[in-house]
């Protein structure tokens, strides 16, 4: 059977602030600069979720993209879109809301649901800006 990777793109807009609570305001300002603005700032995040699996003989699919899209909406987009990532997203509590950490947390939120479709979550790619993005492979 042939292994193929299927990629779904989703988008969400969210506010955040880079802030390490173990540091003084001055140190946060020094390390994170304007990303640490206490009045928050926002990004238009673009998320790519890559699922790897075998092509089903009956459907010709690895995974029905409607199922993948619904899963990402339920677990990620509905919880993060138009939210404050530092204050309102349960699974981002107690971590600095860098793109790196967000990608890892998103991966962890999706892993089990994708496994239950008989496929593997290959990677999560998250664009914070057009020029800056991160990838996590689990
Ligand atoms: Ni930012």
């Amino acid at each position: 059977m042939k292994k193929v990777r299927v990629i779904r793109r989703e988008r969400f807009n969210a506010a955040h602030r880079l802030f390490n609570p173990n540091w003084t305001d001055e140190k946060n300002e020094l390390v994170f600069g304007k990303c640490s603005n206490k009045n928050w700032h926002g990004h238009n995040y673009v998320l790519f979720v890559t699922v790897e699996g075998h092509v089903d003989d009956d459907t010709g699919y690895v995974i029905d993209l409607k199922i993948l899209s619904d899963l990402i909406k339920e677990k990620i987009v509905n919880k993060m879109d138009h939210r404050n990532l530092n204050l309102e997203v349960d699974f981002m509590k107690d971590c600095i809301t860098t793109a790196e950490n967000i990608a890892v947390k998103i991966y962890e939120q999706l892993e089990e649901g994708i496994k239950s479709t008989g496929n593997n979550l290959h990677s999560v790619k998250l664009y914070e800006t057009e020029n800056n993005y991160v990838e996590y492979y689990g």
Side-chain angles (χ1 to χ4, degrees):
M1 284 207 288
K2 293 171 184 69
K3 237 182 202 179
V4 176
R5 289 176 191 160
V6 173
I7 299 131
R8 174 72 190 179
R9 182 185 70 155
E10 299 283 349
R11 287 178 281 196
F12 60 92
N13 310 319
H16 80 154
R17 170 194 187 194
L18 300 186
F19 178 76
N20 184 330
N22 300 319
W23 293 346
T24 61
D25 286 351
E26 290 70 29
K27 175 131 190 217
N28 273 286
E29 169 81 32
L30 187 70
V31 173
F32 295 127
K34 62 183 183 179
C35 295
S36 197
N37 172 17
K38 64 177 186 291
N39 291 318
W40 317 104
H41 67 277
H43 295 283
N44 300 318
Y45 290 96
V46 184
L47 171 67
F48 292 85
V49 175
T50 300
V51 172
E52 187 176 68
H54 294 288
V55 179
D56 183 274
D57 285 334
D58 295 324
T59 62
Y61 288 158
V62 169
I63 184 172
D64 184 334
L65 276 162
K66 174 78 166 76
I67 291 171
L68 180 58
S69 168
D70 286 349
L71 181 74
I72 301 168
K73 284 201 176 81
E74 181 203 332
K75 300 275 186 190
I76 307 299
V77 177
N78 291 349
K79 292 180 177 177
M80 299 181 102
D81 190 35
H82 287 71
R83 300 288 181 170
N84 181 311
L85 301 181
N86 295 60
L87 301 179
E88 297 182 280
V89 180
D90 53 357
F91 58 82
M92 292 306 303
K93 287 264 155 67
D94 306 319
C95 82
I96 302 171
T97 55
T98 56
E100 290 88 332
N101 283 336
I102 299 169
V104 169
K105 295 290 185 179
I106 288 174
Y107 188 102
E108 290 171 358
Q109 294 301 306
L110 292 174
E111 196 173 14
E112 202 180 291
I114 286 167
K115 207 151 252 170
S116 74
T117 70
N119 298 292
N120 284 319
L121 176 54
H122 173 263
S123 62
V124 161
K125 178 158 77 174
L126 183 71
Y127 280 77
E128 192 172 70
T129 70
E130 227 177 306
N131 295 324
N132 298 338
Y133 68 93
V134 301
E135 291 177 315
Y136 182 59
Y137 293 87

